[in-house]
Amino acid sequence: MKKLLVLLFLIPVVVSAQLNGRVVSERNEALASANISVKGTSIITMSDSTGRFLLNYDQKIPYTIVVSFAGFETRQVIIKNSITNDLLIQLQPLFQTDTVVITSRRRREVLQDVPIPITVLSGKLMEDAGAFN
């Protein structure tokens, strides 16, 4: 009987539960259809229109969830205990709001990375030059 008890303590703890939370932007706006997955597995879910998600898992503690959304940096969150719930995951944007995206070469580029000279013209300067079209 004592051997059986010792063997039960040596078996890794696997918890079957649900993890819920919310995915938001840096302005706390809900990110609908964000991907939430358990790293190294095929367990995946998506956030709803309010950014909320529910992840059913059967993983050994601790495990890592990966949260991704188009235009935002992917974030990894380590879940260290089974009582973690109502998780708030805030994603940071890939580009600043003042970033200029140039598409003249048919690919997205940041202004500082473009190898050709760029000139910014004001509306007043163009009006003075007689440009109407």
Side-chain angles (χ1 to χ4, degrees), residues 5-24:
L5 288 175
V6 170
L7 287 175
L8 288 176
F9 286 115
L10 294 176
I11 297 173
V13 177
V14 176
V15 178
S16 179
Q18 294 179 336
L19 174 70
N20 64 30
R22 189 166 180 242
V23 182
V24 296

Side-chain angles (χ1 to χ4, degrees), residues 13-19 56-61 82:
V13 177
V14 176
V15 178
S16 179
Q18 294 179 336
L19 174 70
N56 294 315
Y57 61 91
D58 190 16
Q59 293 295 310
K60 189 170 45 170
I61 303 290
S82 61

Side-chain angles (χ1 to χ4, degrees), residues 2 5-7 11 25 31 40 45 73 77 80 86 89 94 105-106 114 116-117 122 130 133:
K2 288 183 182 181
L5 288 175
V6 170
L7 287 175
I11 297 173
S25 68
L31 296 178
T45 189
E73 292 179 9
V77 179
K80 296 181 181 178
D86 204 23
I89 301 171
L94 285 174
R105 296 191 311 166
R106 296 191 178 158
V114 176
I116 57 176
S122 68
N133 190 357

